[in-house]
Amino acid sequence: MATRVAAAAAIALATSYVIATQLRKKSKIKKLSKAFQGKIRLPTSVTPNRYDLELTPKLDICKFDGKLSVTVSIVEATKYIVLNAADLTITDKSVWLRSKTSRQMLWPKSVELHPEDEILVLSFDDDLPIGDAILGMEFQGTLNDQMRGFYRSSYKVDGESRNMAVTQFEPADARRCFPCWDEPSFKATFKMTLHVPFDRVALSNMPIAEEIRNSKMKTVKFEESPRMSTYLVAIVVGELEFIEGHTKDGRSVRVYTEVGKTYQGKFALDVALRTLPFYAEYFGTEYPLPKLDMVAIPDFAAGAMENYGLVTYREAALLFDEKVSAAANKQRVAVVVAHELAHQWFGNLVTMEWWTHLWLNEGFATWVSYLAIDHLFPEWKIWTQFVEQTVDAFRLDGLVESHPIEVEVGHVREIDEIFDAISYKKGAAIIRMLQTYLGAKRFQEGLVSYISRYEYKNAKTEDLWSVLSEVSGEPVKELMDSWTKQQGYPVVSVKLKSEALVIEQSQYLSSGHEGDGEWVLPLTYCVGSYSRRLSELVRQKASVLSVRKVSSEAKKVEVLSSGVYEIKRAEDPMANGEKTLDRDTSSEFLDLTKDWVKLNVGQTGFYRVKYDEELASRLRSAISAGSLEATDRFGVLDDTYALCIARKQPLSILLSLMEVFRSETDYTVLMCLTDVSYRILKVMGDALPAASKDLKHFVSNLLLPSARRLGWEAASDEGHLDSMLRGELLSALVSFGHEETVNEAKRRFEAFLEDRDTPLLPADIRKVAYKAVMQSVTSSDKAGYEALLKIYRETDVSQERTRVLSTIGASSDPAVVSEALDFLLSKEVRNQDAIWVLAGISGEGRDAAWSWLKKNWGTVWNRFGESVLITRFISSIVSQFSSDEKANEIKDFFDANSAPGIDRTVGQSIERVRITSEWVKHVQAEEGIVEKIKQLGAQN
């Protein structure tokens, strides 16, 4: 018995030792795996080469099963494999690793998911064998309703709601579909296999290689993809139809839609078929894939997504119905398609190394889409319209709460916030500025070289600058670093001094405060004529341009299809302090005593200009005389408005300038005039409400000549720009309370209610009527509101739905505004479309909207907090206010209700409120402004 006791004791001791050892090992593993938490980037000791991925989406229960094997390279000694995974269940026992050289099978000691960091850590007993291996595992996930990762979108067939499975992986949501190295730099090839119901269409990046059917299911195997980043992988499974065309080299291009909507895809198909060969020639590289599919998705958070070979779109950004869609919808489809197809080269073939360089993708695609549209539709004057993109960037980048183009990303949740006007529109603007400086030909040669050098690879901003410098011989990095690595932009003040122009640059801030930024400035200017045009590279804060004479060579100006000019650049004498640039090489003298001077010719530079009183007066005369081109008229007006916001010029100066636009006919300039008018009226409503009526009368009289020229009926030979302009002008007149226009709009609306096919209310002016009706809706008379909801419920065209949604908040009755906002949370409105209601809220409804947001914040966050849409709720509602008290209230609310991914948006919105508050005070204190407005309002 004693022996048995001793033996038992020995066994117990040994067992306790084993258990203790195992616990220590587990503790050590856990401690070591924690070393991978909180990191911005994944380790590079193990990298993927090829993914073999099988997915089985279960559309009825919104789940999916997955099976993955990844060929990896183990490049340094490690016991760990770390990759991304989120919202997935990994079957631990299914995880294995097999060395390709030794054929040895290894099973991980532990399989740990870290939800906060969205990583999967596989721990092994020993260092993994260096070389290639295959990693395998099985997993399960949910087809979520958040419009990201692998998600479900709903549609109806004969009144029955059904689900389709869709992916949206940018920026970092492939990890919600399958475990992967979910960073742009980890490029690999992909071999996809889908198991789907036999009656569903299954699409992925590549063409179908094989399809195996049985009674209820089919297995669809796709060809292996080229090397690409995970965020570009795409899958769509649903009931779809398509129309098809082929490029000259035989590539298939298809537009997929819900059943019965393919006719709405014809315009987008035509744009794609014409754009692909244009880009192939411009980039010097053929479209890299054997096919291109474009799919209209019913539920889609962004406008579109450039997945390699399988581009997905919100319906309104791809489909065009000749009867229901407006000219503006047509232009949007064309621009969005051109943007996404540009990414097939710039973004997909050559990919940013990390999200810091997001602007390279988005800014470039934005710029080059205008290049393509100008080629396809020169009559649209798209390069004139490009200045509207620049203004959007100006308005965000004038905030202290802006950010540099190249912004450090500390967590994946921060990425969504930089998909903004800085990355897209400022990025596009500085690309255009650089192209103008280098010249279109050299710039294109540089891009061809860049794509050839980095195809199927990753690149950084500096890589592009390096190639462009090699090709052009210009100091591209020096120039562009000042625009990408610091936020903000300059305002160039110019004064006339004898026979010279004295210029000084300083950072523009909408707050009126002084910034400390300094830029290498590619300055363009002309004197008295567009034939006398020069460009300088200005490095100092202060410079003197002595322009007594201009070189005859500078008159050889070639206007290129890209909307830029080949300009003779002067030699740049490097000097300390002020530099004098003397033009004394020809017999043609420039008379600075009387000639007008325009800086930033064609608005191709990303800076504003402040002229002294004499030069500003000459520019007003030049505009009246028709001497300035449309882009420059736009620039003078918008720059003056921006200086008024910053309290660098009085409102009376801006109003005097607006007077000279009475005979304006250009679409883009008139859009600037109406936009500036909206903004002035908003401030006036808070600063001097008694003067608002006179101001509205003044603005209406400015717009009426062009509105009456166009009338309500389209001419048979009417151009695209006039079609867009009519609706914008009439809508502005309705907003400004022009009684004749309001009454006519309501009359046409009544005719439309009686007959949906009436010619009295075509698509281009339908929003005018909807707004006119809603402006008179009250809680005691909601007939117009109910009529619009009826139209919304009857149509299946997304552009008509958004048209209704964008006007139902236009009532001046707070109770009606609250009801419209409640409607956006109903099941009748897709999440993607909710933001349209926010865009149309009246000034009188802003307090009701803010109260609604506070009351419903929990619901709004739960529904939209995981998508980029949440920022629209905040900025659209919060930015409408104009007092410090309200700014403090907003700050207190979000301090108490903080959430990840919204800090930058909240900060920007509050800053806008404080800026408007200061402008309101400035207007109130401006001497004689009430009399000035009254005088303007009395003019006919």
Side-chain angles (χ1 to χ4, degrees), residues 40-41 354-356 407-415 418:
I40 298 173
R41 307 284 293 269
W354 178 241
W355 297 105
T356 294
V407 59
E408 291 301 322
V409 176
H411 192 282
V412 291
R413 290 179 181 173
E414 297 174 7
I415 300 172
I418 61 173

Side-chain angles (χ1 to χ4, degrees), residues 296-365:
I297 307 297
D299 298 282
F300 200 80
M305 176 59 208
E306 67 268 19
N307 313 298
Y308 223 171
L310 179 58
V311 185
T312 46
Y313 296 80
R314 183 183 287 221
E315 285 189 333
L318 184 68
L319 306 184
F320 178 77
D321 187 320
E322 292 284 354
K323 292 183 178 180
V324 182
S325 304
N329 301 134
K330 187 175 190 176
Q331 180 169 301
R332 185 193 178 203
V333 168
V335 171
V336 173
V337 168
H339 179 106
E340 303 310 322
L341 298 195
H343 276 308
Q344 304 302 304
W345 285 264
F346 218 96
N348 298 9
L349 183 61
V350 180
T351 310
M352 60 191 169
E353 190 274 338
W354 178 241
W355 297 105
T356 294
H357 311 285
L358 170 69
W359 84 275
L360 265 185
N361 276 18
E362 300 303 347
F364 187 87

Side-chain angles (χ1 to χ4, degrees), residues 805-811 817 820-821 824 836-850 852 876-877 880:
L805 292 175
S806 66
T807 53
I808 60 173
S811 170
V817 172
L821 290 167
L824 74 79
W836 290 104
V837 180
L838 307 175
I841 295 172
S842 66
E844 297 86 349
R846 63 184 179 180
D847 285 299
W850 172 234
W852 177 89
S876 296
I877 292 176
Q880 301 307 310

Side-chain angles (χ1 to χ4, degrees), residues 775-841:
Q775 284 184 173
S776 60
V777 167
T778 64
S779 51
S780 59
D781 181 8
K782 297 196 297 183
Y785 176 72
E786 297 297 341
L788 284 174
L789 291 188
K790 187 173 187 292
I791 294 169
Y792 177 86
R793 288 161 178 150
E794 288 176 350
T795 186
D796 66 346
V797 177
S798 59
Q799 290 155 347
E800 178 73 322
R801 286 179 182 151
T802 57
R803 192 178 293 138
V804 172
L805 292 175
S806 66
T807 53
I808 60 173
S811 170
S812 59
D813 188 325
V816 176
V817 172
S818 296
E819 187 171 343
L821 290 167
D822 285 340
F823 181 70
L824 74 79
L825 292 178
S826 72
K827 292 182 179 179
E828 292 189 70
V829 179
R830 295 182 185 272
N831 283 356
Q832 65 175 26
D833 293 332
I835 56 175
W836 290 104
V837 180
L838 307 175
I841 295 172

Side-chain angles (χ1 to χ4, degrees), residues 685-923:
D686 290 321
L688 301 167
S692 293
K693 183 177 180 181
D694 287 328
L695 187 58
K696 288 180 179 179
H697 193 232
F698 165 60
V699 172
S700 295
N701 284 339
L702 288 180
L703 302 180
L704 275 169
S706 284
R708 286 175 172 156
R709 173 180 65 86
L710 294 171
W712 287 83
E713 312 290 343
S716 59
D717 59 346
E718 182 169 274
H720 169 77
L721 292 174
D722 278 348
S723 296
M724 291 203 301
L725 181 58
R726 175 182 294 103
E728 295 287 355
L729 291 178
L730 293 175
S731 182
L733 289 170
V734 166
S735 295
F736 301 149
H738 186 252
E739 188 173 354
E740 177 188 327
T741 305
V742 171
N743 291 337
E744 180 63 13
K746 289 181 177 179
R747 183 185 75 82
R748 289 171 180 264
F749 181 75
E750 291 300 324
F752 180 68
L753 292 183
E754 294 294 324
D755 176 13
R756 294 289 195 270
D757 294 321
T758 179
L760 290 176
L761 201 65
D764 288 318
I765 59 171
R766 207 167 287 176
K767 187 175 178 179
V768 178
Y770 295 174
K771 183 189 289 187
V773 168
M774 277 306 305
Q775 284 184 173
S776 60
V777 167
T778 64
S779 51
S780 59
D781 181 8
K782 297 196 297 183
Y785 176 72
E786 297 297 341
L788 284 174
L789 291 188
K790 187 173 187 292
I791 294 169
Y792 177 86
R793 288 161 178 150
E794 288 176 350
T795 186
D796 66 346
V797 177
S798 59
Q799 290 155 347
E800 178 73 322
R801 286 179 182 151
T802 57
R803 192 178 293 138
V804 172
L805 292 175
S806 66
T807 53
I808 60 173
S811 170
S812 59
D813 188 325
V816 176
V817 172
S818 296
E819 187 171 343
L821 290 167
D822 285 340
F823 181 70
L824 74 79
L825 292 178
S826 72
K827 292 182 179 179
E828 292 189 70
V829 179
R830 295 182 185 272
N831 283 356
Q832 65 175 26
D833 293 332
I835 56 175
W836 290 104
V837 180
L838 307 175
I841 295 172
S842 66
E844 297 86 349
R846 63 184 179 180
D847 285 299
W850 172 234
S851 296
W852 177 89
L853 183 63
K854 289 188 291 184
K855 176 183 176 183
N856 293 280
W857 177 247
T859 302
V860 169
W861 176 257
N862 288 336
R863 281 185 58 174
F864 302 97
E866 297 296 329
S867 76
V868 296
L869 301 178
I870 190 66
T871 60
R872 296 289 291 275
F873 276 85
I874 297 168
S875 60
S876 296
I877 292 176
V878 166
S879 298
Q880 301 307 310
F881 294 103
S882 58
S883 72
D884 290 329
E885 294 77 15
K886 188 62 72 172
N888 293 335
E889 178 188 331
I890 293 163
K891 183 178 184 303
D892 290 343
F893 175 80
F894 284 107
D895 283 348
N897 295 273
S898 61
I902 65 170
D903 290 347
R904 179 174 278 125
T905 300
V906 171
Q908 291 168 352
S909 300
I910 293 173
E911 185 181 353
R912 287 190 180 100
V913 175
R914 296 195 190 280
I915 288 167
T916 309
S917 173
E918 291 303 311
W919 194 21
V920 165
K921 296 172 190 174
H922 192 68
V923 170

Side-chain angles (χ1 to χ4, degrees), residues 9-45:
I11 292 170
L13 182 62
T15 302
S16 64
Y17 174 79
V18 171
I19 293 173
T21 302
Q22 290 175 340
L23 287 173
R24 282 197 299 272
K25 282 185 177 180
K26 285 185 178 180
S27 176
K28 187 177 181 181
I29 288 169
K30 199 160 190 177
K31 186 176 181 180
L32 286 170
S33 68
K34 281 187 176 181
F36 303 113
Q37 294 179 252
K39 304 294 184 183
I40 298 173
R41 307 284 293 269
L42 293 173
T44 57
S45 51

Side-chain angles (χ1 to χ4, degrees), residues 640-661:
T640 305
Y641 164 73
L643 292 166
C644 282
I645 294 176
R647 309 184 309 285
K648 301 300 183 183
Q649 288 184 341
L651 179 59
S652 56
I653 294 291
L654 176 58
L655 296 175
S656 296
L657 175 62
M658 291 169 67
E659 277 193 282
V660 305
F661 288 90

